[in-house]
PDB file of all heavy atoms in Angstrom:
ATOM      1  N   TRP A  22       0.827  -1.216   0.000  1.00 98.00           N
ATOM      2  CA  TRP A  22       0.000   0.000   0.000  1.00 98.00           C
ATOM      3  C   TRP A  22       0.856   1.258   0.000  1.00 98.00           C
ATOM      4  O   TRP A  22       0.395   2.318  -0.424  1.00 98.00           O
ATOM      5  CB  TRP A  22      -0.962   0.001   1.169  1.00 98.00           C
ATOM      6  CG  TRP A  22      -2.088  -0.999   1.028  1.00 98.00           C
ATOM      7  CD1 TRP A  22      -2.630  -1.472  -0.138  1.00 98.00           C
ATOM      8  CD2 TRP A  22      -2.801  -1.629   2.079  1.00 98.00           C
ATOM      9  NE1 TRP A  22      -3.633  -2.367   0.131  1.00 98.00           N
ATOM     10  CE2 TRP A  22      -3.762  -2.494   1.493  1.00 98.00           C
ATOM     11  CE3 TRP A  22      -2.724  -1.570   3.468  1.00 98.00           C
ATOM     12  CZ2 TRP A  22      -4.639  -3.262   2.246  1.00 98.00           C
ATOM     13  CZ3 TRP A  22      -3.603  -2.346   4.213  1.00 98.00           C
ATOM     14  CH2 TRP A  22      -4.545  -3.178   3.610  1.00 98.00           C
ATOM     15  N   ALA A  23       2.081   1.177   0.455  1.00 98.00           N
ATOM     16  CA  ALA A  23       2.999   2.326   0.372  1.00 98.00           C
ATOM     17  C   ALA A  23       3.726   2.339  -0.965  1.00 98.00           C
ATOM     18  O   ALA A  23       3.833   3.384  -1.609  1.00 98.00           O
ATOM     19  CB  ALA A  23       4.012   2.277   1.520  1.00 98.00           C
ATOM     20  N   ALA A  24       4.220   1.185  -1.394  1.00 98.00           N
ATOM     21  CA  ALA A  24       5.082   1.120  -2.576  1.00 98.00           C
ATOM     22  C   ALA A  24       4.326   1.307  -3.891  1.00 98.00           C
ATOM     23  O   ALA A  24       4.792   2.038  -4.774  1.00 98.00           O
ATOM     24  CB  ALA A  24       5.834  -0.208  -2.604  1.00 98.00           C
ATOM     25  N   MET A  25       3.185   0.674  -4.040  1.00 98.00           N
ATOM     26  CA  MET A  25       2.495   0.720  -5.330  1.00 98.00           C
ATOM     27  C   MET A  25       1.999   2.124  -5.688  1.00 98.00           C
ATOM     28  O   MET A  25       2.215   2.571  -6.817  1.00 98.00           O
ATOM     29  CB  MET A  25       1.377  -0.318  -5.383  1.00 98.00           C
ATOM     30  CG  MET A  25       1.958  -1.736  -5.414  1.00 98.00           C
ATOM     31  SD  MET A  25       0.742  -3.010  -5.667  1.00 98.00           S
ATOM     32  CE  MET A  25       0.487  -2.842  -7.424  1.00 98.00           C
ATOM     33  N   PRO A  26       1.369   2.868  -4.777  1.00 98.00           N
ATOM     34  CA  PRO A  26       0.987   4.244  -5.139  1.00 98.00           C
ATOM     35  C   PRO A  26       2.201   5.121  -5.437  1.00 98.00           C
ATOM     36  O   PRO A  26       2.132   5.999  -6.302  1.00 98.00           O
ATOM     37  CB  PRO A  26       0.226   4.753  -3.909  1.00 98.00           C
ATOM     38  CG  PRO A  26      -0.207   3.538  -3.191  1.00 98.00           C
ATOM     39  CD  PRO A  26       0.830   2.494  -3.472  1.00 98.00           C
ATOM     40  N   ALA A  27       3.300   4.879  -4.732  1.00 98.00           N
ATOM     41  CA  ALA A  27       4.522   5.656  -5.011  1.00 98.00           C
ATOM     42  C   ALA A  27       5.009   5.362  -6.424  1.00 98.00           C
ATOM     43  O   ALA A  27       5.336   6.288  -7.180  1.00 98.00           O
ATOM     44  CB  ALA A  27       5.610   5.327  -3.991  1.00 98.00           C
ATOM     45  N   GLY A  28       5.038   4.089  -6.809  1.00 98.00           N
ATOM     46  CA  GLY A  28       5.445   3.735  -8.167  1.00 98.00           C
ATOM     47  C   GLY A  28       4.513   4.338  -9.202  1.00 98.00           C
ATOM     48  O   GLY A  28       4.956   4.851 -10.235  1.00 98.00           O
ATOM     49  N   SER A  29       3.206   4.303  -8.914  1.00 98.00           N
ATOM     50  CA  SER A  29       2.236   4.916  -9.825  1.00 98.00           C
ATOM     51  C   SER A  29       2.447   6.419  -9.923  1.00 98.00           C
ATOM     52  O   SER A  29       2.276   7.014 -10.990  1.00 98.00           O
ATOM     53  CB  SER A  29       0.802   4.619  -9.361  1.00 98.00           C
ATOM     54  OG  SER A  29       0.514   3.254  -9.481  1.00 98.00           O
ATOM     55  N   PHE A  30       2.843   7.039  -8.811  1.00 98.00           N
ATOM     56  CA  PHE A  30       3.082   8.481  -8.823  1.00 98.00           C
ATOM     57  C   PHE A  30       4.283   8.835  -9.703  1.00 98.00           C
ATOM     58  O   PHE A  30       4.246   9.813 -10.453  1.00 98.00           O
ATOM     59  CB  PHE A  30       3.289   9.018  -7.405  1.00 98.00           C
ATOM     60  CG  PHE A  30       3.478  10.506  -7.367  1.00 98.00           C
ATOM     61  CD1 PHE A  30       2.400  11.350  -7.546  1.00 98.00           C
ATOM     62  CD2 PHE A  30       4.733  11.053  -7.190  1.00 98.00           C
ATOM     63  CE1 PHE A  30       2.565  12.731  -7.536  1.00 98.00           C
ATOM     64  CE2 PHE A  30       4.915  12.424  -7.178  1.00 98.00           C
ATOM     65  CZ  PHE A  30       3.833  13.273  -7.349  1.00 98.00           C
ATOM     66  N   PHE A  31       5.335   8.024  -9.641  1.00 98.00           N
ATOM     67  CA  PHE A  31       6.489   8.279 -10.508  1.00 98.00           C
ATOM     68  C   PHE A  31       6.097   8.140 -11.977  1.00 98.00           C
ATOM     69  O   PHE A  31       6.552   8.908 -12.829  1.00 98.00           O
ATOM     70  CB  PHE A  31       7.665   7.356 -10.154  1.00 98.00           C
ATOM     71  CG  PHE A  31       8.390   7.772  -8.909  1.00 98.00           C
ATOM     72  CD1 PHE A  31       8.229   7.076  -7.726  1.00 98.00           C
ATOM     73  CD2 PHE A  31       9.244   8.866  -8.921  1.00 98.00           C
ATOM     74  CE1 PHE A  31       8.898   7.464  -6.573  1.00 98.00           C
ATOM     75  CE2 PHE A  31       9.924   9.261  -7.774  1.00 98.00           C
ATOM     76  CZ  PHE A  31       9.748   8.557  -6.590  1.00 98.00           C
ATOM     77  N   ALA A  32       5.239   7.169 -12.286  1.00 98.00           N
ATOM     78  CA  ALA A  32       4.749   7.026 -13.659  1.00 98.00           C
ATOM     79  C   ALA A  32       3.895   8.228 -14.053  1.00 98.00           C
ATOM     80  O   ALA A  32       3.994   8.724 -15.185  1.00 98.00           O
ATOM     81  CB  ALA A  32       3.952   5.729 -13.798  1.00 98.00           C
ATOM     82  N   LEU A  33       3.070   8.704 -13.132  1.00 98.00           N
ATOM     83  CA  LEU A  33       2.273   9.907 -13.369  1.00 98.00           C
ATOM     84  C   LEU A  33       3.181  11.086 -13.707  1.00 98.00           C
ATOM     85  O   LEU A  33       2.897  11.854 -14.639  1.00 98.00           O
ATOM     86  CB  LEU A  33       1.425  10.226 -12.134  1.00 98.00           C
ATOM     87  CG  LEU A  33       0.741  11.594 -12.095  1.00 98.00           C
ATOM     88  CD1 LEU A  33      -0.337  11.720 -13.162  1.00 98.00           C
ATOM     89  CD2 LEU A  33       0.152  11.849 -10.706  1.00 98.00           C
ATOM     90  N   LEU A  34       4.284  11.229 -12.976  1.00 98.00           N
ATOM     91  CA  LEU A  34       5.227  12.313 -13.265  1.00 98.00           C
ATOM     92  C   LEU A  34       5.764  12.227 -14.688  1.00 98.00           C
ATOM     93  O   LEU A  34       5.879  13.248 -15.373  1.00 98.00           O
ATOM     94  CB  LEU A  34       6.384  12.303 -12.270  1.00 98.00           C
ATOM     95  CG  LEU A  34       6.068  12.733 -10.844  1.00 98.00           C
ATOM     96  CD1 LEU A  34       7.309  12.607  -9.975  1.00 98.00           C
ATOM     97  CD2 LEU A  34       5.523  14.144 -10.811  1.00 98.00           C
ATOM     98  N   ILE A  35       6.079  11.016 -15.124  1.00 97.00           N
ATOM     99  CA  ILE A  35       6.573  10.843 -16.493  1.00 97.00           C
ATOM    100  C   ILE A  35       5.529  11.323 -17.495  1.00 97.00           C
ATOM    101  O   ILE A  35       5.848  12.044 -18.440  1.00 97.00           O
ATOM    102  CB  ILE A  35       6.977   9.378 -16.755  1.00 97.00           C
ATOM    103  CG1 ILE A  35       8.245   9.041 -15.960  1.00 97.00           C
ATOM    104  CG2 ILE A  35       7.176   9.106 -18.246  1.00 97.00           C
ATOM    105  CD1 ILE A  35       8.618   7.573 -15.968  1.00 97.00           C
ATOM    106  N   VAL A  36       4.279  10.945 -17.290  1.00 97.00           N
ATOM    107  CA  VAL A  36       3.212  11.367 -18.199  1.00 97.00           C
ATOM    108  C   VAL A  36       3.050  12.883 -18.175  1.00 97.00           C
ATOM    109  O   VAL A  36       2.980  13.529 -19.231  1.00 97.00           O
ATOM    110  CB  VAL A  36       1.884  10.654 -17.857  1.00 97.00           C
ATOM    111  CG1 VAL A  36       0.708  11.294 -18.580  1.00 97.00           C
ATOM    112  CG2 VAL A  36       1.980   9.169 -18.201  1.00 97.00           C
ATOM    113  N   LEU A  37       3.003  13.481 -16.988  1.00 97.00           N
ATOM    114  CA  LEU A  37       2.800  14.926 -16.877  1.00 97.00           C
ATOM    115  C   LEU A  37       3.945  15.712 -17.519  1.00 97.00           C
ATOM    116  O   LEU A  37       3.710  16.679 -18.253  1.00 97.00           O
ATOM    117  CB  LEU A  37       2.637  15.342 -15.413  1.00 97.00           C
ATOM    118  CG  LEU A  37       1.361  14.865 -14.718  1.00 97.00           C
ATOM    119  CD1 LEU A  37       1.400  15.209 -13.229  1.00 97.00           C
ATOM    120  CD2 LEU A  37       0.116  15.417 -15.381  1.00 97.00           C
ATOM    121  N   VAL A  38       5.176  15.283 -17.268  1.00 97.00           N
ATOM    122  CA  VAL A  38       6.330  15.996 -17.823  1.00 97.00           C
ATOM    123  C   VAL A  38       6.375  15.836 -19.339  1.00 97.00           C
ATOM    124  O   VAL A  38       6.605  16.810 -20.070  1.00 97.00           O
ATOM    125  CB  VAL A  38       7.650  15.543 -17.157  1.00 97.00           C
ATOM    126  CG1 VAL A  38       8.861  16.110 -17.878  1.00 97.00           C
ATOM    127  CG2 VAL A  38       7.664  15.948 -15.689  1.00 97.00           C
ATOM    128  N   THR A  39       6.157  14.638 -19.841  1.00 96.00           N
ATOM    129  CA  THR A  39       6.224  14.456 -21.296  1.00 96.00           C
ATOM    130  C   THR A  39       5.059  15.149 -22.001  1.00 96.00           C
ATOM    131  O   THR A  39       5.205  15.588 -23.140  1.00 96.00           O
ATOM    132  CB  THR A  39       6.292  12.968 -21.699  1.00 96.00           C
ATOM    133  OG1 THR A  39       5.193  12.264 -21.125  1.00 96.00           O
ATOM    134  CG2 THR A  39       7.599  12.344 -21.250  1.00 96.00           C
ATOM    135  N   GLN A  40       3.901  15.249 -21.350  1.00 95.00           N
ATOM    136  CA  GLN A  40       2.813  16.015 -21.943  1.00 95.00           C
ATOM    137  C   GLN A  40       3.202  17.487 -22.070  1.00 95.00           C
ATOM    138  O   GLN A  40       2.808  18.160 -23.010  1.00 95.00           O
ATOM    139  CB  GLN A  40       1.536  15.894 -21.102  1.00 95.00           C
ATOM    140  CG  GLN A  40       0.793  14.604 -21.294  1.00 95.00           C
ATOM    141  CD  GLN A  40      -0.489  14.557 -20.487  1.00 95.00           C
ATOM    142  OE1 GLN A  40      -0.694  15.305 -19.529  1.00 95.00           O
ATOM    143  NE2 GLN A  40      -1.377  13.650 -20.876  1.00 95.00           N
ATOM    144  N   ARG A  41       3.982  17.962 -21.124  1.00 95.00           N
ATOM    145  CA  ARG A  41       4.377  19.361 -21.085  1.00 95.00           C
ATOM    146  C   ARG A  41       5.525  19.666 -22.050  1.00 95.00           C
ATOM    147  O   ARG A  41       5.501  20.676 -22.740  1.00 95.00           O
ATOM    148  CB  ARG A  41       4.782  19.715 -19.649  1.00 95.00           C
ATOM    149  CG  ARG A  41       5.172  21.127 -19.452  1.00 95.00           C
ATOM    150  CD  ARG A  41       3.979  21.982 -19.514  1.00 95.00           C
ATOM    151  NE  ARG A  41       3.850  22.728 -18.279  1.00 95.00           N
ATOM    152  CZ  ARG A  41       2.986  23.680 -18.154  1.00 95.00           C
ATOM    153  NH1 ARG A  41       2.190  23.975 -19.148  1.00 95.00           N
ATOM    154  NH2 ARG A  41       2.900  24.338 -17.047  1.00 95.00           N
ATOM    155  N   ILE A  42       6.539  18.779 -22.084  1.00 94.00           N
ATOM    156  CA  ILE A  42       7.737  19.085 -22.882  1.00 94.00           C
ATOM    157  C   ILE A  42       8.070  18.021 -23.915  1.00 94.00           C
ATOM    158  O   ILE A  42       9.174  18.002 -24.453  1.00 94.00           O
ATOM    159  CB  ILE A  42       8.972  19.299 -21.971  1.00 94.00           C
ATOM    160  CG1 ILE A  42       9.341  18.004 -21.242  1.00 94.00           C
ATOM    161  CG2 ILE A  42       8.756  20.439 -21.007  1.00 94.00           C
ATOM    162  CD1 ILE A  42      10.707  18.027 -20.599  1.00 94.00           C
ATOM    163  N   GLY A  43       7.128  17.126 -24.187  1.00 86.00           N
ATOM    164  CA  GLY A  43       7.380  16.003 -25.076  1.00 86.00           C
ATOM    165  C   GLY A  43       7.905  16.365 -26.448  1.00 86.00           C
ATOM    166  O   GLY A  43       8.666  15.614 -27.045  1.00 86.00           O
ATOM    167  N   ASP A  44       7.517  17.507 -26.969  1.00 86.00           N
ATOM    168  CA  ASP A  44       8.004  17.909 -28.292  1.00 86.00           C
ATOM    169  C   ASP A  44       9.040  19.038 -28.175  1.00 86.00           C
ATOM    170  O   ASP A  44       9.248  19.805 -29.102  1.00 86.00           O
ATOM    171  CB  ASP A  44       6.850  18.301 -29.211  1.00 86.00           C
ATOM    172  CG  ASP A  44       6.020  19.448 -28.673  1.00 86.00           C
ATOM    173  OD1 ASP A  44       6.279  19.912 -27.539  1.00 86.00           O
ATOM    174  OD2 ASP A  44       5.104  19.880 -29.389  1.00 86.00           O
ATOM    175  N   GLY A  45       9.699  19.095 -27.023  1.00 87.00           N
ATOM    176  CA  GLY A  45      10.692  20.134 -26.776  1.00 87.00           C
ATOM    177  C   GLY A  45      11.866  20.111 -27.728  1.00 87.00           C
ATOM    178  O   GLY A  45      12.502  21.139 -27.978  1.00 87.00           O
ATOM    179  N   LEU A  46      12.168  18.955 -28.298  1.00 90.00           N
ATOM    180  CA  LEU A  46      13.265  18.843 -29.272  1.00 90.00           C
ATOM    181  C   LEU A  46      12.739  18.799 -30.698  1.00 90.00           C
ATOM    182  O   LEU A  46      13.511  18.596 -31.635  1.00 90.00           O
ATOM    183  CB  LEU A  46      14.108  17.598 -28.987  1.00 90.00           C
ATOM    184  CG  LEU A  46      14.878  17.584 -27.660  1.00 90.00           C
ATOM    185  CD1 LEU A  46      15.626  16.263 -27.499  1.00 90.00           C
ATOM    186  CD2 LEU A  46      15.829  18.759 -27.571  1.00 90.00           C
ATOM    187  N   GLY A  47      11.436  18.958 -30.849  1.00 91.00           N
ATOM    188  CA  GLY A  47      10.841  18.928 -32.180  1.00 91.00           C
ATOM    189  C   GLY A  47       9.680  17.969 -32.236  1.00 91.00           C
ATOM    190  O   GLY A  47       9.476  17.154 -31.338  1.00 91.00           O
ATOM    191  N   PRO A  48       8.911  18.027 -33.344  1.00 91.00           N
ATOM    192  CA  PRO A  48       7.711  17.203 -33.463  1.00 91.00           C
ATOM    193  C   PRO A  48       7.978  15.774 -33.948  1.00 91.00           C
ATOM    194  O   PRO A  48       7.077  14.938 -33.905  1.00 91.00           O
ATOM    195  CB  PRO A  48       6.861  17.970 -34.480  1.00 91.00           C
ATOM    196  CG  PRO A  48       7.873  18.662 -35.343  1.00 91.00           C
ATOM    197  CD  PRO A  48       9.020  18.997 -34.430  1.00 91.00           C
ATOM    198  N   GLY A  49       9.167  15.470 -34.391  1.00 92.00           N
ATOM    199  CA  GLY A  49       9.454  14.133 -34.923  1.00 92.00           C
ATOM    200  C   GLY A  49       9.468  13.068 -33.839  1.00 92.00           C
ATOM    201  O   GLY A  49       9.695  13.336 -32.662  1.00 92.00           O
ATOM    202  N   ARG A  50       9.233  11.845 -34.276  1.00 93.00           N
ATOM    203  CA  ARG A  50       9.181  10.710 -33.346  1.00 93.00           C
ATOM    204  C   ARG A  50      10.508  10.525 -32.620  1.00 93.00           C
ATOM    205  O   ARG A  50      10.542  10.292 -31.407  1.00 93.00           O
ATOM    206  CB  ARG A  50       8.815   9.436 -34.122  1.00 93.00           C
ATOM    207  CG  ARG A  50       8.603   8.238 -33.253  1.00 93.00           C
ATOM    208  CD  ARG A  50       7.207   8.240 -32.654  1.00 93.00           C
ATOM    209  NE  ARG A  50       7.311   8.391 -31.217  1.00 93.00           N
ATOM    210  CZ  ARG A  50       6.315   8.728 -30.427  1.00 93.00           C
ATOM    211  NH1 ARG A  50       5.135   8.971 -30.926  1.00 93.00           N
ATOM    212  NH2 ARG A  50       6.465   8.834 -29.137  1.00 93.00           N
TER     213      ARG A  50
END
C-alpha cells in the first residue's frame, strides 16, 4: 500500500512531464 501508489506516482510524473515538454526537441518521433 505504500510502494504501489509511489510507483504509480512516478509514472504519473513521467506522463505529466512528457505532456508538457514532449516535443521540446521537435515534433518528430
Side-chain angles (χ1 to χ4, degrees):
W22 288 332
M25 291 187 78
S29 293
F30 182 75
F31 284 105
L33 168 67
L34 289 178
I35 290 171
V36 168
L37 292 174
V38 171
T39 55
Q40 282 182 341
R41 182 72 122 171
I42 65 166
D44 59 356
L46 295 178
R50 186 81 246 164

